[in-house]
Amino acid sequence: MASSQSTPLLWRNVTLFDGLEQLPEPMAVLVEHGRVAGLWRENEFDPSQASGAKEAASGGVMTPGLVDCHTHLVYAGDRAAEFEQRLEGVSYETIARNGGGILSSVRATRAASEDELIAASLPRLDALLADGVTTLEIKSGYGLTVADELKMLRVARRLGELRPVRVLTTLLGAHALPPEYAGRADDYVSLVCDEMIPAAAREGLADAVDVFCEGIGFSPAQCERIYQAAQAHGLAIKAHAEQLSNLGGSALAARYGALSADHIEYLDEAGVGAMAEAGTVAVLLPGAFHVLRETQMPPIELLRQYGVPMAVASDANPGTSPICMPTLMANLACTLFRLTPREALAGMTAHGARALGLPDLGRIAVGAPADLCLWDIRQPAELAYAVQAGRLRQRVFNGAITYAR
Ligand code: NIG
Ligand code: FE
């Protein structure tokens, strides 16, 4: 990771989106020792307040560094052939039940070494960074043996050392039933609970535990066993839930104090209420909705009514969302789910950070970690409105400029 820069840095006259909203006036922003040290209205700024600071830039739109709170960035191979099958009308579930889908990526990922997985994943990570990401979550879930899941998590941790970015890791051992456990799903869940979770916790390789609660994944009862094991090892909880049907996975996750329930197209009002009560973030994944050509919309209006924070993430993965462009996700969240551009940007900053249990990130406030993006646009809403690579002018990670154009 880049160390925080010693010379204080100053931005003048920026249009600022603070993670929740756009500030009404242009701002001056001071960064020192890796943190935001000062924020002033430009017309009230007195340079003596930042003496010794170097001017980093003037003008542009500043946002928090983007937070991609749900990715499956580490995998080998691709699923382009499946994409073609789906276009011909074969469903995602049918492909999965025939041994393709997630299991196809499992075969390729098991066969790959750590170095091969790094080489395959780095270009995807670099694409996210070039579009403003400073924090991301990476899940395992294409290994499905103790050794291969730990291998994926080690690769995820190493990616965070190779680039100036924060990587949070999530063990998704319960992503699919591996073929060697066919007909023995409960035994596989025991492997996840009794071996995978303890090993990942012991080696410090996982920050959270996720499950795929679905007909083609795991039942609520099986997910509950996994949550109990995660809690026993002090790991945070997340869920892939209500993506293809409503099994009550989100409410179950909320009962266990989950950080987030993700996808949630089929979430009902009871589930929304349970999430509101538990403070569980709703993670919207419009890339998967788009690629699978889904029509069931997540209950956006209910989430608003109940005050459930909505995050937006890429779900970058080889099957349902082979897309490494977070600003496109902001666009899709608006066009497909009717979020406002403000909601979409909050979803990729402040609320994305909450979905990772990191409420200090994704905000621009005095004292907050200085993960920032400066964009060549006139107003924040343009990030969701236009789909265009190359708008990032500067990327600040941990107080240091790690990219400048
Ligand atoms: O978030 N829903 C399950 N998991 C992933 C898809 C993984 C895959 O198809 O490889 C998702 O959509
Ligand atoms: Fe996912």
Side-chain angles (χ1 to χ4, degrees):
M1 283 199 195
S3 62
S4 50
Q5 198 145 331
S6 47
T7 311
L9 294 171
L10 179 67
W11 281 263
R12 299 290 304 266
N13 204 27
V14 296
T15 299
L16 197 142
F17 178 83
D18 72 359
L20 291 173
E21 59 194 6
Q22 178 177 345
L23 302 195
E25 291 173 57
M27 302 294 289
V29 182
L30 178 69
V31 164
E32 194 170 6
H33 303 308
R35 301 204 165 249
V36 177
L39 270 182
W40 300 270
R41 292 197 184 92
E42 181 64 37
N43 62 15
E44 291 173 2
F45 176 68
D46 170 357
S48 71
Q49 291 165 298
S51 59
K54 174 172 173 285
E55 185 164 317
S58 176
V61 167
M62 181 177 276
T63 67
L66 302 186
V67 178
D68 195 349
C69 69
H70 180 142
T71 87
H72 309 248
L73 205 73
V74 172
Y75 59 83
D78 71 84
R79 309 238 292 273
E82 255 176 42
F83 177 60
E84 295 197 42
Q85 273 184 283
R86 285 204 310 272
L87 293 175
E88 283 159 14
V90 188
S91 78
Y92 180 67
E93 279 153 299
T94 301
I95 292 170
R97 291 191 196 284
N98 291 336
I102 293 169
L103 291 181
S104 142
S105 296
V106 168
R107 286 187 288 276
T109 303
R110 283 181 177 176
S113 68
E114 273 188 40
D115 287 343
E116 285 165 343
L117 286 173
I118 293 271
S121 307
L122 260 183
R124 296 190 280 265
L125 179 61
D126 286 337
L128 294 181
L129 267 54
D131 205 35
V133 168
T134 52
T135 297
L136 79 155
E137 183 250 26
I138 301 178
K139 302 175 193 296
S140 65
Y142 295 122
L144 312 186
T145 67
V146 177
D148 289 306
E149 287 291 299
L150 296 185
K151 173 178 78 177
M152 287 189 70
L153 293 171
R154 269 194 300 273
V155 167
R157 287 271 197 248
R158 271 179 65 194
L159 288 170
E161 289 157 13
L162 289 169
R163 292 291 185 268
V165 65
R166 290 171 221 281
V167 173
L168 282 275
T169 57
T170 299
L171 174 68
L172 178 53
H175 196 194
L177 188 65
E180 61 274 17
Y181 277 86
R184 297 189 294 131
D186 285 322
D187 291 345
Y188 179 67
V189 171
S190 297
L191 177 77
V192 174
C193 294
D194 303 340
E195 296 186 41
M196 266 181 212
I197 290 175
R202 190 170 55 241
E203 298 186 31
L205 285 172
D207 302 305
V209 171
D210 197 347
V211 299
F212 186 21
C213 187
E214 193 58 67
I216 55 169
F218 295 86
S219 70
Q222 291 166 338
C223 294
E224 183 158 15
R225 287 177 58 202
I226 290 168
Y227 287 161
Q228 286 167 352
Q231 276 190 341
H233 287 86
L235 298 174
I237 283 167
K238 301 175 85 67
H240 282 72
E242 274 73 72
Q243 180 186 14
L244 308 168
S245 62
N246 181 359
L247 298 185
S250 304
L252 169 71
R255 273 208 303 287
Y256 279 85
L259 288 175
S260 70
D262 306 29
H263 288 290
I264 59 163
E265 278 84 347
Y266 286 81
L267 184 65
D268 58 17
E269 185 160 4
V272 174
M275 289 173 65
E277 203 165 303
T280 299
V281 175
V283 177
L284 305 175
L285 303 170
F289 182 93
H290 162 68
V291 169
L292 293 182
R293 306 175 77 244
E294 295 288 348
T295 51
Q296 171 80 28
M297 287 264 289
I300 302 299
E301 200 43 51
L302 281 174
L303 293 166
R304 285 188 185 119
Q305 272 171 32
Y306 279 76
V308 175
M310 294 182 281
V312 175
S314 72
D315 197 15
N317 77 69
T320 66
S321 190
I323 306 177
C324 297
M325 190 178 190
T327 55
L328 172 60
M329 294 302 146
N331 174 272
L332 293 177
C334 296
T335 53
L336 298 176
F337 295 164
R338 308 262 178 114
L339 262 61
T340 65
R342 189 197 65 73
E343 286 175 321
L345 291 184
M348 306 214 63
T349 52
H351 296 154
R354 272 183 70 167
L356 295 177
L358 301 170
D360 288 352
L361 291 181
R363 302 294 315 275
I364 301 179
V366 172
D371 291 358
L372 307 167
C373 290
L374 188 71
W375 306 89
D376 278 329
I377 52 178
R378 280 155 305 234
Q379 50 179 322
E382 280 180 59
L383 285 179
Y385 148 76
V387 179
Q388 187 179 331
R391 292 175 293 177
L392 187 66
R393 194 197 305 178
Q394 288 175 338
R395 179 183 177 278
V396 180
F397 177 70
N398 212 15
I401 297 174
T402 55
Y403 170 84
R405 179 162 55 71

